[in-house]
Amino acid sequence: MKQLILSVIMSWCSVVVQAQEVWTMQRCMQYAVEHNHEVKRAELELDNYKATKTAAIGRFLPEIDARVGAQYSFGRAIDPETNIYTDVSTFNNVYSLSASLPVFDGFSSIHALRAAKASVLMGQSAFRQKQNLTALAVLQAYANAAYYEGLVRMAGEKVEETTLLLRQTRVLEEVGRKSSADVAQVESQQAEANYELTRQQNLLASALLELKKEMGFPLSEELKVKSEEGLVRRPEGESQFATAVPVSSLHSLSPKDSSLLTLHSSLQQARYQMQASKHEWHQARAALYPSLSLSAGLNTTYFHTLHSDASQSFHTQLKNNMGEYIGVVLNIPLFNRLQTVTSIRRAKNNYRIACENYAQKQLELEKLAREAWQDWQGYLKQTEQMERKVEADSLAYQLTRRQFEKGLSTAIDLHATSTQLLKSKATLLQCQLMTIVKEQLVRYYQGIEIWTE
């Protein structure tokens, strides 16, 4: 009984700890890569490419067949021993073993194997690309959730602040330093703060639901993300706006550094698709060449006339009726209603399409990489500027509140400076989070798997 109670308590404690556990951005991306449904489908598609490669290897191996047949004849039939018609019932048993080996097929098997290898590499790149895209989607969803988490915290602080201000204003009203109109204005500000807190909590719930969906996380379980302070905090002695990776390790993606884009999974996928299409084209051309194959085999039969004991034994017939053969087949294609020419033309066009896709992907990737770098640098500067603005707005709010307590300013002035400070803090938080997102996007375009770190 004690052990049962202890196990129940431990299970309850583990559930509570898991519910209170804070998920970091990196852990959310790793979880999504392991549980996302699109990633799992890409993994299964990669296994199909590997199966195709195995089948291409099998084309170099001999094909071996074994056949066993049994036939029961009754009524008018041909006697296998005398080759004349008879009316007796007979039983005929056939055994055969054959093997064939392609000697030359116009290099079709070689090109099929090379195309399969390129397809496997393409599948691996597509799998990594799907992992990276899933990680980026989770990264954006996590940033949105962290943003609304920060807004909820700010809105909660605003509610506490207006509640305290309302108490002070009522006290000042009792001593005659504030009017009932000032109290009503502060009450209006408190109601507005409560409304904003409720609205931000609803937006946070929606953002967490979207994050769970991108991660493949159970929607019924609780998911708590790290607060924005822990997300953007920097080590002591380091600039507050320094990135998680030194700038020196991230290239500016100038034209001289465009070779870094070759490491990107989507570009590798397009390149391997081009290689596979090229070998499929050569494989289609192989149908114009003659093919040569070698075959060999053996067969034997057993025959028995029913209701008769005159036939030889089973073992004797198998030995006496044994036959072997070996053959060579040369197949020369002459005319197949233009099917080969059409297949070659189609395969060649597919190769050209793959080349165009590769060139277009390379151009688009370089453009997106440069944009990501520029956005990252821009958000770094915006973050520095917004920090100064938050400091200035915070000072203005403190001064306005002191003036309000002394009767030198109105509640409307206090509300305006408070709203401006809250807006500046929200913008600063957004810039900080977008700096992290754009930094990871720059790393993604440089071929770095952001979810593995």
Side-chain angles (χ1 to χ4, degrees), residues 1 4 18 81 103 115 177 187 197 247 259 294-295 307 354 356 371 383 401 418 427 433-434 440 453:
M1 191 61 163
L4 179 60
Q18 185 176 3
E81 294 182 346
V103 179
R177 296 178 58 181
E187 289 178 348
L197 176 60
V247 178
S259 59
L294 177 66
S295 61
H307 308 294
E356 295 296 332
E371 287 181 351
T383 303
R401 180 165 182 175
S418 176
T427 305
L433 293 174
M434 290 305 298
Q440 297 297 331
E453 302 179 359

Side-chain angles (χ1 to χ4, degrees), residues 85-97:
Y85 284 99
T86 179
D87 292 332
V88 298
S89 300
T90 60
F91 175 77
N92 188 23
N93 203 190
V94 179
Y95 302 89
S96 65
L97 180 65

Side-chain angles (χ1 to χ4, degrees), residues 371-389:
E371 287 181 351
W373 174 268
Q374 294 173 1
D375 292 341
W376 179 44
Q377 296 298 314
Y379 276 112
L380 282 174
K381 296 178 181 179
Q382 292 178 28
T383 303
E384 295 178 357
Q385 296 167 356
M386 285 307 303
E387 186 192 41
R388 300 189 187 98
K389 190 174 187 304

Side-chain angles (χ1 to χ4, degrees), residues 259-424:
S259 59
L260 290 171
L261 298 178
T262 57
L263 302 176
H264 196 268
S265 55
S266 64
L267 192 61
Q268 290 179 342
Q269 180 182 355
R271 182 169 65 251
Y272 292 133
Q273 176 64 56
M274 181 176 61
Q275 295 178 2
S277 299
K278 180 179 179 180
H279 291 300
E280 289 174 356
W281 173 32
H282 291 301
Q283 182 183 359
R285 291 173 55 184
L288 297 174
Y289 300 100
S291 61
L292 181 65
S293 62
L294 177 66
S295 61
L298 54 88
N299 56 72
T300 184
T301 60
Y302 169 75
F303 175 80
H304 176 66
T305 302
L306 299 181
H307 308 294
S308 175
D309 297 332
S311 61
Q312 297 178 349
S313 65
F314 179 79
H315 178 72
T316 301
Q317 288 195 38
L318 290 183
K319 182 178 179 181
N320 295 336
N321 297 335
M322 180 72 68
E324 300 87 5
Y325 69 91
I326 185 172
V328 178
V329 178
L330 177 63
N331 183 19
I332 303 176
L334 297 178
F335 181 74
N336 62 347
R337 295 176 297 181
L338 303 178
Q339 295 298 317
T340 301
V341 176
T342 304
S343 300
I344 294 174
R345 182 179 178 180
R346 188 182 297 112
K348 185 178 181 179
N349 289 335
N350 291 336
Y351 170 64
R352 290 179 175 177
I353 292 173
C355 293
E356 295 296 332
N357 291 337
Y358 177 75
Q360 181 181 6
K361 178 63 69 173
Q362 190 174 19
L363 183 61
E364 292 178 352
L365 191 61
E366 185 175 356
K367 171 183 173 293
L368 294 175
R370 292 177 184 273
E371 287 181 351
W373 174 268
Q374 294 173 1
D375 292 341
W376 179 44
Q377 296 298 314
Y379 276 112
L380 282 174
K381 296 178 181 179
Q382 292 178 28
T383 303
E384 295 178 357
Q385 296 167 356
M386 285 307 303
E387 186 192 41
R388 300 189 187 98
K389 190 174 187 304
V390 168
E391 293 177 356
D393 291 340
S394 179
L395 180 60
Y397 171 74
Q398 295 298 331
L399 293 176
T400 304
R401 180 165 182 175
R402 291 178 184 177
Q403 292 177 354
F404 175 78
E405 294 173 355
K406 295 179 181 179
L408 301 177
S409 63
T410 64
I412 297 177
D413 297 332
L414 182 62
H415 179 263
T417 55
S418 176
T419 303
Q420 183 63 34
L421 176 59
L422 184 62
K423 181 179 178 181
S424 299

Side-chain angles (χ1 to χ4, degrees), residues 5 46 200 211 213 222 296 325 337 351 354:
I5 296 175
L46 173 59
Q200 296 299 338
L211 177 60
K213 190 264 293 183
E222 183 181 0
Y325 69 91
R337 295 176 297 181
Y351 170 64

Side-chain angles (χ1 to χ4, degrees), residues 158-172 186 189 397 401 404-405 411 414-415:
K158 183 65 176 177
V159 170
E160 295 177 359
E161 182 181 346
T162 53
T163 301
L164 179 60
L165 181 61
L166 179 60
R167 293 176 184 175
Q168 294 177 350
T169 306
R170 286 174 177 172
V171 172
L172 293 175
V186 176
Q189 294 177 19
Y397 171 74
R401 180 165 182 175
F404 175 78
E405 294 173 355
L414 182 62
H415 179 263

